[in-house]
Amino acid sequence: MRIDKFLSDMAVASRKESSRAAKRGGILVNGTAVRDASVHINPDKDTVIYLGRTVEYRRHVFVMLNKPEGYVSATEDKAHPYVTELLPPELRARELFPVGRLDKDTVGLMLLTDDGESAHRLLSPKRHVTKSYRFRCAEPLIPSCEDIFLAGAVLGDGYVCKSAELIADEDRLGGVITLTEGKYHQIKRMLGSVGNKITALERITFGPLSLDGALARGEWRYLTEGETEELLLAAGADKRN
Ligand code: URA
């Protein structure tokens, strides 16, 4: 693989930036400066240092997005804005997709990747990957709400939810719910099952990841090396993904 493609795939530098850096001696391959970014490397074997930083090779990209209201969890939509529109062209070219869905009016942590296998594992009911949501609701939560959710809320269609943790706010007009599954409109329907209604919903964790408070709505960033490893561990996947 060409060095400039490797660096742009790892989202480290554009091809133009790589070419400039190489001319200035800013790219080392196995300790030797390469002056031409079109040189080929073996990303599994060669060590590449870009402007003093070792670049780890990952076949796949993982991105955390702070989803704003009004966007649908899709890679295309004719009628509504969709989440991948918030990514730059180089990531859209890699055909990233959202791992699971958030409703159009739900905000917060959305994970996007081009790693279909890990996405599938992260969403598999067998893995019990937890997701937490901060919410506000229209009425005070009934006193037995925590116990009902822990025992498994029964939705309108008779589905019995998996045990979920509820930590209510002091005013009982909101709180944090942690789920290990992701059924359609699950939290809205759980609140409906106890005679309540969601007025605001934000996902704040996904497995080992927490929504980065430095990201404004609509902003995104790559997962760090550590976050990616923890996520892949939660997915039960090979570390070197
Ligand atoms: N539960 C919901 O009701 N909506 C979401 O977007 C996520 C969980």
Side-chain angles (χ1 to χ4, degrees):
M1 182 190 288
R2 284 170 58 129
I3 294 179
D4 51 5
K5 174 154 180 12
F6 168 74
L7 290 170
S8 90
D9 280 0
M10 295 307 103
V12 167
S14 67
R15 292 202 176 197
K16 220 187 230 169
E17 286 165 338
S18 292
S19 166
R20 270 194 238 120
K23 286 195 184 105
R24 285 186 276 124
I27 300 179
L28 307 184
V29 176
N30 303 326
T32 305
V34 284
R35 301 284 167 176
D36 182 350
S38 69
V39 163
H40 282 247
I41 55 157
N42 178 341
D44 283 319
K45 290 195 180 143
D46 295 325
T47 301
V48 177
I49 299 181
Y50 178 80
L51 302 181
R53 180 187 136 201
T54 304
V55 183
E56 287 287 329
Y57 178 51
R58 289 203 178 272
R59 260 172 228 110
H60 296 295
V61 172
F62 292 89
V63 156
M64 173 190 298
L65 168 77
N66 186 348
K67 179 189 169 302
E69 205 175 334
Y71 280 74
V72 292
S73 304
T75 54
E76 235 184 77
D77 195 286
K78 292 215 162 47
H80 307 102
Y82 49 96
V83 288
T84 53
E85 279 185 298
L86 297 162
L87 301 177
E90 63 273 21
L91 280 180
R92 292 175 69 179
R94 287 194 67 151
E95 301 188 342
L96 265 63
F97 57 86
V99 181
R101 286 171 181 274
L102 291 177
D103 297 338
K104 193 172 149 212
D105 55 355
T106 301
V107 298
L109 202 172
M110 171 139 267
L111 180 67
L112 297 113
T113 187
D114 57 355
D115 180 353
E117 198 180 312
S118 294
H120 180 74
R121 287 162 180 256
L122 287 164
L123 297 173
S124 160
K126 281 191 234 141
R127 302 250 163 217
H128 307 289
V129 175
T130 58
K131 290 157 208 120
S132 310
Y133 299 82
R134 193 187 303 286
F135 69 96
R136 296 296 287 168
C137 50
E139 306 292 334
L141 294 160
I142 57 172
S144 55
C145 205
E146 284 87 340
D147 293 337
I148 292 172
F149 287 180
L150 211 54
V154 182
L155 303 184
D157 59 1
Y159 177 75
V160 182
C161 295
K162 293 217 163 67
S163 181
E165 184 190 55
L166 163 65
I167 298 176
D169 294 341
E170 222 171 301
D171 63 7
R172 299 198 64 82
L173 281 167
V176 173
I177 294 180
T178 303
L179 304 180
T180 57
E181 59 184 342
K183 301 288 173 203
Y184 178 68
H185 286 176
Q186 183 159 349
I187 291 186
K188 290 174 184 159
R189 289 159 73 208
M190 283 170 71
L191 267 285
S193 76
V194 289
N196 214 321
K197 193 174 179 335
I198 287 287
T199 55
L201 190 57
E202 176 187 38
R203 182 153 68 194
I204 53 174
T205 73
F206 188 129
L209 305 176
S210 293
L211 179 62
D212 185 339
L215 291 177
R217 298 271 187 244
E219 287 184 345
W220 66 276
R221 69 160 171 80
Y222 291 104
L223 295 193
T224 63
E225 286 281 313
E227 286 172 332
T228 307
E229 286 198 357
E230 280 187 59
L231 188 75
L232 293 175
L233 217 59
D238 181 356
K239 259 173 80 176
R240 205 168 154 78
N241 201 285

